[in-house]
Short mmCIF file of all heavy atoms in Angstrom, two decimals:
data_model
loop_
_atom_site.label_atom_id
_atom_site.label_comp_id
_atom_site.label_asym_id
_atom_site.label_seq_id
_atom_site.Cartn_x
_atom_site.Cartn_y
_atom_site.Cartn_z
N GLN A 158 89.96 130.18 199.18
CA GLN A 158 90.32 129.60 197.88
C GLN A 158 89.25 128.61 197.39
O GLN A 158 89.54 127.71 196.62
CB GLN A 158 91.68 128.91 197.98
CG GLN A 158 92.83 129.90 198.21
CD GLN A 158 94.13 129.20 198.54
OE1 GLN A 158 94.22 128.49 199.54
NE2 GLN A 158 95.12 129.38 197.68
N ARG A 159 88.01 128.86 197.81
CA ARG A 159 86.94 127.92 197.47
C ARG A 159 86.63 127.87 195.98
O ARG A 159 86.01 126.92 195.50
CB ARG A 159 85.67 128.25 198.26
CG ARG A 159 85.10 129.63 197.99
CD ARG A 159 83.96 129.96 198.94
NE ARG A 159 83.43 131.30 198.76
CZ ARG A 159 83.95 132.38 199.33
NH1 ARG A 159 85.03 132.28 200.09
NH2 ARG A 159 83.42 133.57 199.13
N ASN A 160 87.03 128.90 195.22
CA ASN A 160 86.74 128.92 193.79
C ASN A 160 87.89 128.39 192.94
O ASN A 160 87.82 128.42 191.71
CB ASN A 160 86.41 130.35 193.34
CG ASN A 160 85.11 130.86 193.95
OD1 ASN A 160 84.16 130.10 194.12
ND2 ASN A 160 85.09 132.13 194.32
N MET A 161 88.96 127.90 193.57
CA MET A 161 90.12 127.43 192.83
C MET A 161 89.88 126.00 192.33
O MET A 161 89.72 125.07 193.10
CB MET A 161 91.38 127.45 193.71
CG MET A 161 92.64 127.01 192.97
SD MET A 161 94.08 126.93 194.07
CE MET A 161 94.24 128.67 194.49
N LEU A 162 89.86 125.84 191.01
CA LEU A 162 89.66 124.53 190.41
C LEU A 162 90.99 123.81 190.23
O LEU A 162 92.02 124.43 189.96
CB LEU A 162 88.97 124.66 189.05
CG LEU A 162 87.56 125.25 189.02
CD1 LEU A 162 87.02 125.24 187.60
CD2 LEU A 162 86.63 124.50 189.95
N THR A 163 90.94 122.50 190.36
CA THR A 163 92.12 121.67 190.08
C THR A 163 92.06 121.05 188.69
O THR A 163 93.05 120.52 188.20
CB THR A 163 92.27 120.56 191.13
OG1 THR A 163 91.05 119.81 191.18
CG2 THR A 163 92.56 121.14 192.51
N ARG A 164 90.89 121.11 188.07
CA ARG A 164 90.72 120.66 186.68
C ARG A 164 89.71 121.57 185.99
O ARG A 164 88.69 121.92 186.57
CB ARG A 164 90.16 119.23 186.62
CG ARG A 164 91.16 118.13 186.81
CD ARG A 164 90.51 116.79 186.45
NE ARG A 164 90.64 115.82 187.51
CZ ARG A 164 90.03 114.65 187.54
NH1 ARG A 164 89.22 114.32 186.55
NH2 ARG A 164 90.21 113.82 188.54
N ALA A 165 90.02 121.94 184.74
CA ALA A 165 89.08 122.72 183.94
C ALA A 165 89.36 122.44 182.47
O ALA A 165 90.52 122.23 182.08
CB ALA A 165 89.20 124.21 184.23
N VAL A 166 88.33 122.47 181.66
CA VAL A 166 88.48 122.25 180.23
C VAL A 166 89.18 123.47 179.62
O VAL A 166 88.75 124.60 179.80
CB VAL A 166 87.11 122.03 179.56
CG1 VAL A 166 87.28 121.72 178.07
CG2 VAL A 166 86.34 120.92 180.25
N GLY A 167 90.28 123.22 178.94
CA GLY A 167 91.06 124.29 178.33
C GLY A 167 92.24 124.74 179.15
O GLY A 167 93.11 125.47 178.66
N ALA A 168 92.30 124.31 180.41
CA ALA A 168 93.35 124.81 181.31
C ALA A 168 94.56 123.89 181.38
O ALA A 168 95.58 124.27 181.95
CB ALA A 168 92.78 124.98 182.72
N MET A 169 94.47 122.69 180.79
CA MET A 169 95.60 121.76 180.88
C MET A 169 95.62 120.88 179.64
O MET A 169 94.59 120.56 179.06
CB MET A 169 95.50 120.91 182.15
CG MET A 169 94.18 120.21 182.35
SD MET A 169 93.88 119.73 184.06
CE MET A 169 93.75 121.34 184.85
N GLU A 170 96.84 120.49 179.26
CA GLU A 170 97.00 119.71 178.03
C GLU A 170 96.48 118.29 178.20
O GLU A 170 95.74 117.78 177.37
CB GLU A 170 98.48 119.68 177.63
CG GLU A 170 98.73 118.96 176.30
CD GLU A 170 100.17 119.06 175.85
OE1 GLU A 170 100.98 119.68 176.55
OE2 GLU A 170 100.48 118.48 174.78
N ASN A 171 96.87 117.64 179.28
CA ASN A 171 96.47 116.25 179.51
C ASN A 171 95.30 116.20 180.49
O ASN A 171 95.45 115.84 181.65
CB ASN A 171 97.66 115.44 180.04
CG ASN A 171 98.81 115.40 179.04
OD1 ASN A 171 98.60 115.12 177.86
ND2 ASN A 171 100.02 115.71 179.50
N LEU A 172 94.15 116.57 180.00
CA LEU A 172 92.96 116.66 180.84
C LEU A 172 92.40 115.28 181.15
O LEU A 172 92.27 114.43 180.26
CB LEU A 172 91.89 117.50 180.14
CG LEU A 172 90.57 117.70 180.88
CD1 LEU A 172 90.77 118.55 182.12
CD2 LEU A 172 89.54 118.34 179.95
N VAL A 173 92.05 115.06 182.40
CA VAL A 173 91.38 113.83 182.82
C VAL A 173 89.90 114.13 183.00
O VAL A 173 89.53 115.07 183.73
CB VAL A 173 91.97 113.28 184.13
CG1 VAL A 173 91.20 112.04 184.60
CG2 VAL A 173 93.45 112.94 183.94
N VAL A 174 89.05 113.36 182.34
CA VAL A 174 87.60 113.54 182.40
C VAL A 174 87.00 112.39 183.20
O VAL A 174 87.20 111.23 182.88
CB VAL A 174 86.98 113.56 180.99
CG1 VAL A 174 85.47 113.75 181.06
CG2 VAL A 174 87.62 114.66 180.14
N ASP A 175 86.27 112.72 184.26
CA ASP A 175 85.55 111.69 185.02
C ASP A 175 84.34 111.22 184.23
O ASP A 175 83.66 112.04 183.59
CB ASP A 175 85.07 112.23 186.38
CG ASP A 175 86.21 112.48 187.35
OD1 ASP A 175 87.36 112.11 187.04
OD2 ASP A 175 85.94 113.05 188.43
N THR A 176 84.05 109.92 184.28
CA THR A 176 82.88 109.39 183.59
C THR A 176 82.18 108.37 184.49
O THR A 176 82.76 107.86 185.45
CB THR A 176 83.26 108.69 182.27
OG1 THR A 176 84.16 107.61 182.54
CG2 THR A 176 83.89 109.66 181.29
N GLY A 177 80.92 108.09 184.17
CA GLY A 177 80.19 107.08 184.93
C GLY A 177 78.88 106.74 184.25
O GLY A 177 78.49 107.37 183.27
N GLU A 178 78.22 105.72 184.76
CA GLU A 178 76.89 105.35 184.28
C GLU A 178 76.09 104.79 185.44
O GLU A 178 76.64 104.37 186.46
CB GLU A 178 76.99 104.31 183.16
CG GLU A 178 77.62 103.00 183.57
CD GLU A 178 77.67 102.01 182.40
OE1 GLU A 178 78.47 102.23 181.49
OE2 GLU A 178 76.88 101.04 182.43
N LEU A 179 74.78 104.81 185.30
CA LEU A 179 73.91 104.29 186.34
C LEU A 179 72.60 103.86 185.74
O LEU A 179 72.21 104.33 184.65
CB LEU A 179 73.67 105.34 187.43
CG LEU A 179 72.81 106.56 187.04
CD1 LEU A 179 72.09 107.10 188.26
CD2 LEU A 179 73.69 107.65 186.43
N ALA A 180 71.91 102.95 186.41
CA ALA A 180 70.58 102.54 185.99
C ALA A 180 69.58 103.61 186.40
O ALA A 180 69.66 104.18 187.49
CB ALA A 180 70.22 101.21 186.63
N VAL A 181 68.63 103.91 185.50
CA VAL A 181 67.59 104.89 185.80
C VAL A 181 66.23 104.26 185.51
O VAL A 181 66.12 103.30 184.75
CB VAL A 181 67.76 106.19 184.99
CG1 VAL A 181 68.98 106.95 185.45
CG2 VAL A 181 67.83 105.89 183.49
N THR A 182 65.20 104.84 186.10
CA THR A 182 63.85 104.31 185.94
C THR A 182 62.84 105.44 185.97
O THR A 182 63.18 106.58 186.33
CB THR A 182 63.55 103.28 187.05
OG1 THR A 182 62.30 102.63 186.76
CG2 THR A 182 63.47 103.94 188.41
#
Side-chain angles (χ1 to χ4, degrees):
Q158 293 170 299
R159 61 188 177 276
N160 294 323
M161 182 184 295
L162 297 183
T163 55
R164 279 191 233 171
V166 183
M169 53 200 65
E170 184 174 359
N171 298 312
L172 180 67
V173 176
V174 180
D175 290 353
T176 59
E178 63 179 72
L179 69 152
V181 291
T182 188

